[in-house]
Amino acid sequence: MLVRLRAFLGATLLLCGLCQHGHAFLEGFIDQEDHHLDISDWLIERKGFLPVPIVITEPAVGFGGGVALMFVRNSMRESSERTKETGRMTPPDIFVAGAAATENGTKAAFAGGMLSFDDDRWRYRGGVGRTDVNLEFYGIGGSGLGGAASSIGYSLDGWMSSQQVLRRLGDSDNWLGLRWIFLDLDSKLDLSKDPRSGLSPDQTTRRTSGLGLTLEHDTRDNIFTPSKGWTGALDATFYSPDFGSDTRFQSYRGHVFAYFPIAKSLVLGGRLDGRAVSGRTPFYMLPFIDMRGVPAGRYQDERTAVVETELRWDVTPRWAAVGFVGAGRAWGNRTDFSESENVISRGVGFRYLIASRLGLWVGLDYAKGPEDGTWYIQVGNAWR
């Protein structure tokens, strides 16, 4: 991991050196006001095909990477010109296809798109993926199997699809959406046959298909790295044999991400995130505590709640430092909320303003949870 970190930092320093001494080489990527690396003009004017590198640092699957080919039909400048009367920024229409792999053997290929219609009154988001994901199951509640902090390795191999259409409510910043989620995943290890897992055959089912509703709100000043405003959503998805699912269950999520400028160079962010399921839920769709420093799927149960805060200090117009801390709980199957333990994560990082006209910051975070610490490369805000 140190080698990878040194390579990343070395590349960063080299790039900064090119910014200061290689203007001819990077002409068009330099801000003419402060002479620093800036890709605003390139992103705003860009359309057509664009290769995008993928960097994976998720501890649940290990380090990895890949590449995606993205097609941007209309540039951000053209999108903004279409909505001058409303004063809103319409996202450009984007189509993407790519593939990635990690050091633990996880592989994925995917294709999808994001489109706006009718002067941004309608939006579509969707994609299809073929995955072979290798993970660890730590039991319901994440306390380990058989009373010990042990796990069972498993793999999910198959197809995944998510399709969503949203409609703007009047002239507001609120959206009502309809979604369809379909998973057809074959587990290479049947956990229901392992007495340590405590899972029934219903919870290791192969196919899930559900229809759902979502209500979204977004008043952030920036979709990449916000400094004020808030975004939130209420989601409910219903899985049933009537829609092609092997079992009947429901999943719910409610979240709010809010940003407060408490001083000229300080931005305080807050996150509240709750998830729940009911019915015969497959184990791989149980909610888990989703925070930096906590491996995906490490703490799972029928309900989870996360509260997190992050402070960004703009040390200079281009560089910023961040600090964050969060806590989460998973409960519902064998324990209630008061009996579950807090899962604490904390960390620090830095950011560089890579696209000043778009407010896009990139950087690196180090986060430490109950287990080992890990590094995360961040593009925009860390909360999803």
Side-chain angles (χ1 to χ4, degrees):
M1 183 168 65
L2 285 175
V3 173
R4 298 173 191 271
L5 176 59
R6 288 170 182 166
F8 175 81
L9 293 177
T12 302
L13 292 173
L14 176 61
L15 197 54
C16 291
L18 286 173
C19 293
Q20 299 297 325
H21 307 292
H23 288 191
F25 178 75
L26 289 175
E27 185 175 0
F29 294 88
I30 301 298
D31 189 301
Q32 296 305 309
E33 294 185 3
D34 63 10
H35 305 293
H36 282 76
L37 173 69
D38 193 294
I39 61 174
S40 296
D41 291 341
W42 186 77
L43 287 176
I44 290 171
E45 301 295 335
R46 179 74 184 186
K47 60 181 179 179
F49 285 99
L50 171 67
V52 178
I54 300 170
V55 180
I56 300 172
T57 58
E58 167 56 50
V61 295
F63 288 98
V67 65
L69 185 63
M70 183 170 67
F71 175 76
V72 183
R73 185 163 63 181
N74 48 293
S75 68
M76 290 186 180
R77 177 182 56 80
E78 292 172 333
S79 296
S80 64
E81 289 176 351
R82 291 188 309 178
T83 55
K84 285 182 178 179
E85 293 182 0
T86 65
R88 296 189 180 95
M89 177 64 186
T90 300
D93 295 340
I94 295 174
F95 305 88
V96 64
T102 72
E103 59 186 353
N104 83 336
T106 292
K107 301 180 288 292
F110 56 89
M114 179 179 72
L115 305 113
S116 301
F117 305 94
D118 193 19
D119 293 330
D120 201 28
R121 293 185 180 89
W122 293 87
R123 290 182 181 179
Y124 163 80
R125 306 169 187 163
V128 177
R130 181 70 167 84
T131 64
D132 185 359
V133 183
N134 300 312
L135 294 169
E136 297 289 325
F137 180 66
Y138 290 85
I140 305 299
S143 58
L145 300 168
S150 59
S151 62
I152 303 173
Y154 69 93
S155 178
L156 296 174
D157 185 5
W159 291 91
M160 308 173 69
S161 171
S162 176
Q163 311 296 324
Q164 185 177 60
V165 176
L166 298 108
R167 165 71 180 182
R168 187 189 297 274
L169 299 179
D171 195 35
S172 70
D173 294 304
N174 302 312
W175 297 81
L176 183 63
L178 177 66
R179 70 155 60 90
W180 173 45
I181 296 177
F182 177 81
L183 305 177
D184 191 359
L185 301 172
D186 182 23
S187 177
K188 294 181 181 177
L189 177 63
D190 187 354
L191 295 182
S192 66
K193 295 181 180 179
D194 193 316
R196 294 178 300 162
S197 71
L199 298 175
S200 66
D202 281 343
Q203 292 178 288
T204 58
T205 186
R206 174 188 178 99
R207 181 174 297 172
T208 59
S209 178
L211 297 178
L213 293 171
T214 182
L215 178 64
E216 295 187 7
H217 173 87
D218 193 351
T219 56
R220 294 172 297 175
D221 63 336
N222 185 289
I223 64 173
F224 301 107
T225 313
S227 294
K228 64 179 179 180
W230 68 278
T231 183
L234 294 173
D235 304 326
T237 308
F238 304 90
Y239 297 84
S240 168
D242 297 334
F243 314 139
S245 183
D246 288 342
T247 62
R248 191 184 305 274
F249 65 100
Q250 303 81 44
S251 68
Y252 309 93
R253 182 190 181 190
H255 73 273
V256 174
F257 307 153
Y259 307 88
F260 309 93
I262 59 177
K264 183 178 180 180
S265 59
L266 292 175
V267 176
L268 179 66
R271 172 194 177 200
L272 294 174
D273 200 332
R275 310 183 194 207
V277 295
S278 62
R280 298 179 177 180
T281 309
F283 77 95
Y284 55 84
M285 296 192 71
L286 289 170
F288 60 85
I289 295 176
D290 181 14
M291 287 192 302
R292 283 166 286 184
V294 180
R298 177 62 179 86
Y299 300 92
Q300 290 181 277
D301 213 317
E302 293 178 339
R303 297 171 183 84
T304 61
V306 170
V307 57
E308 190 175 5
T309 185
E310 178 180 286
L311 182 66
R312 189 183 84 229
W313 174 31
D314 298 342
V315 182
T316 74
R318 285 285 176 179
W319 292 94
V322 299
F324 51 91
V325 61
R329 287 190 180 189
W331 76 97
N333 186 278
R334 297 185 178 93
T335 60
D336 59 27
F337 180 82
S338 62
E339 295 174 336
S340 61
E341 296 183 1
N342 285 329
V343 176
I344 308 294
S345 175
R346 61 190 69 83
V348 295
F350 72 85
R351 299 289 185 271
Y352 177 78
L353 183 58
I354 193 72
S356 58
R357 291 173 60 188
L358 297 175
L360 173 61
W361 297 72
V362 299
L364 187 70
D365 289 341
Y366 176 78
K368 178 71 169 64
E371 288 80 34
D372 296 333
T374 190
W375 297 92
Y376 295 86
I377 296 173
Q378 301 292 357
V379 179
N381 190 260
W383 299 333
R384 303 288 186 268

